[in-house]
Amino acid sequence: MKKVYLFFFLTLFINTNIFSDDGYRLWLKYDKIKDKKILDSYTSQIKGWIVEGNSPTILVAKEELQKGLNGLLGKKIKELSQIKNNIIIAGVYSQSHYLKNINLSESLVEISNEGFVIKSIKIDSKNVIIITGKSDTGILYGIFHFLRLLQTNSNIKNINIVSSPKIKLRLLNHWDNLNRTVERGYAGFSIWDWHKLPDYISPQYKDYARANASIGINGTVLTNVNANAWVLTHQYLIKVAALANVFRPYGIKVYLTARFSAPIEIGNLKTADPLNEEVKQWWKNKVDEIYKLIPDFGGFLVKANSEGQPGPQNYGRTHVDGANMLAEALEPYGGVVMWRAFVYDSNIKEDRAKQSYNEFKPLDGKFRKNVLIQVKNGPIDFQPREPFHPLFGAMPDTPLMMEFQITQEYLGQGTHLVYLAPLFKECLDSDTYSKGPGSTVAKIIDGSLENHSISGIAGVSNIGTDRNWTGHLFGQANWYAFGRLAWDHNLSSDEIAEEWIRMTISNDNEIVSKIKSIMLKSREDCVNYMTPLGLHHIMGWNHHYGPAPWIKDKHRDDWTSVYYHRADTNGIGFDRTATGSNAVSQYFPEVAEIFSSVEKCPEEYLLWFHHLPWDYKMKSGKTLWEEICYHYYNGVEGVKETIKIWDSLKNKIDNEQYNHVKMLLNIQLKEAIWWRDACVLYFQTFSKRPIPDELEKPEKSLDYYMNLNFPYAPGI
Ligand code: BDP
């Protein structure tokens, strides 16, 4: 009888995914390489390793290399104490015992302090692969990159890689509250267990640091931009310090959001006026206190005078006064202020898309050296598609930081498979023409166009307590893509997707190409079933879940949908040309000319910039109304196609991964149909034209959709 059980257990073990993949290990799985030829080739080239140095960073780098090699090669790869043939040597060049006679000056001049060189060379006629650089963190990044090459089954013969991050500050922004809720978070609660800190250090903190370091992220803002002053009390700062201690070896600095009214709320002052001496002193003391606990503290992120947050304007002061006051306190320690440009005032009757530029452009050049202005990718708010923000290129004397949203607040939240690298790239590659052709957004934020010594990029995190970190497996790809692009914005969406799939799901070429095809089209599908042709901000009220183009009559116009789509019996779209709000004038002439011309404006931005009649003839020959319908229907067809491709992967990839995504895709399809039908029915009340004959008709009525309610939708 026992034998029967054993046999049963063994068959289960061999034939099914009894140890199925719950996603916790992210892209750092290090499972044994399946392809025997590749495995053999690696095993013959990697017979041992030496990692020089013993700083905390070198120790974790060593630990990672060991873990990675043993896992991927499926056997213990030994640490050596002298050079042998076919081994890896890693260490900081200037301190290395083994590399001192090797001339690497050409490669080393190319890299920054965080960069690395991976190279096949001969030392004493022995073949070795060296991983070197100028700092311990560079070595850590080099080791992670080398492991990535193995994980993706890349060729490591005659390897020669020289790599440096293009942007200096590469940060995640957590919109995490002290009560562990996450604003716009769809993957459970905050991973920061504030109540148990500083004494209880969850092992997840270290895994968080590993994952980020593996893609070069070097900073994390722990708290929500809608800030709580409490995190600046001593009681919380010691908790922050405990996290900083875990992250430090991984090259990650902590940053906090600074609530502008903190001097009143936790400092017992009567004012938070940035020009008041007591207020200035309060912040200086606070900063001193922080650096005593966290010597490498990164600095503050500030949302001021935006959506009800306090700020310098409450005291008749400017953003410059506010930012500079904090910057002065941080300056002696090398800390920075990241001051957000996401401001718009409900009392100003100006197009919301224009307000941030109007407020910030005149302040160019007035900020202290350690201030960066953090600008969202588009002028409204992380929509499925927006043109780039007109501030890029417009403030040449101020370092502008990019703010992307990794969490999918407006792109299907926790349940839609939407790969965001194409969205990020579209913005980074946009040409602002600020200094003639080729003045891309990427060159502005990496500091190269305007010669800034600091540069930065932030991604609003999608991480939570869900076992797989991001709720949706493919949310991991967006975290991954953000980090990879922050390191090198020249990487393509395609390359990044391929790396991630190979590390996370499979190295089988056919599977890789199928999943890649799904990922690469997913953002366009989403735009189509949500907000095609430049439509924007027509989602559910407050929770932003689902479609609600009918939202109107709220306490502020710019929080309604009708404000943005402006549909009426004549047509649809927001006229932002000279006959309307003239937001186009905020772009440089070459760009403004394109956006303002109905003929030249790319159709994907058409209704962002133009109000057009329902019968307007599109490039396809269809009327605008028909074209809108077809885009909505094509979006849904795209999701159906995705499901078909995914179905073909059954039994070819890990079962748990397969089923998890399969169920989410079914939700996505339901919701895509919901978006399509609700929007088409609603816009039809203005267009008064039929849905083209060949398209199936919505099953439910507009009333049905308008009466749906979601009091407990996540993320608020
Ligand atoms: C919007 C979010 C809101 C954020 C705000 C911001 O809906 O929760 O607080 O952006 O970025 O997208 O400050």
Side-chain angles (χ1 to χ4, degrees), residues 175 183-184 226 303 307 340 342 376 381 409-410:
W175 285 358
E183 182 152 343
R184 312 308 175 184
N226 295 320
K303 171 175 179 177
E307 301 184 331
R340 295 176 89 225
F342 180 68
K376 289 189 181 183
D381 195 4
E409 175 179 1
Y410 300 102

